[in-house]
Amino acid sequence: MRGGPIGLSSAAVPVLKLGDVLLVTLQGDLQDSTAEQLKHDIGEAVVSSSVSGVVIDISGVEMVDSFLGRVLAEIAATARLLAARTVVAGMRPAVAITLVELGLTLPGLRTALDAEEAMRMLTSPPPPPHSPGRQETP
């Protein structure tokens, strides 16, 4: 599996390609402008490197505000439109509580306890779609 930084010269947050997945590791608090730039950079990197997944590791983030929560949801929505799945890894309990208190459901985002689990989720086949009218028989 080859990996390395994607050619994003203006990136304040490195975006690494590991096989068929982009790995983005957030550390500390992100400025709003950096978060916006990251959203743009990830979209460009998904297209230019033809990946099928994006892992955003937020284990180094102490707190998430509503703006960063929306940016994460927008990254997932953009990646989904570009045929890539997104998993947020390493969410701290305080961050999860804050997101719930802010009423942010983050549609389209899957979560994993750590980046290793997120990579496994993205490199295995996607689960079949759920059919609400179908019932399982015992």
Side-chain angles (χ1 to χ4, degrees), residues 5-111:
I6 301 296
L8 299 173
S9 59
S10 64
V13 177
V15 179
L16 304 175
K17 182 178 182 196
L18 300 174
D20 199 27
V21 175
L22 295 178
L23 174 63
V24 181
T25 303
L26 304 182
Q27 296 293 322
D29 295 332
L30 280 180
Q31 300 292 326
D32 289 355
S33 60
T34 304
E36 283 290 335
Q37 183 64 48
L38 178 64
K39 180 172 59 171
H40 174 77
D41 290 347
I42 290 174
E44 291 292 324
V46 167
V47 171
S48 68
S49 45
S50 300
V51 295
S52 64
V54 178
V55 173
I56 304 172
D57 182 357
I58 63 169
S59 58
V61 176
E62 296 287 330
M63 290 301 300
V64 171
D65 61 7
S66 61
F67 178 77
L68 183 55
R70 278 193 308 276
V71 167
L72 291 173
E74 290 169 3
I75 288 170
T78 300
R80 189 171 49 252
L81 288 172
L82 298 171
R85 297 179 289 158
T86 303
V87 178
V88 172
M91 187 177 301
R92 296 171 184 250
V95 170
I97 290 167
T98 300
L99 292 174
V100 169
E101 288 174 349
L102 292 171
L104 296 174
T105 58
L106 305 180
L109 273 181
R110 295 170 55 193
T111 59

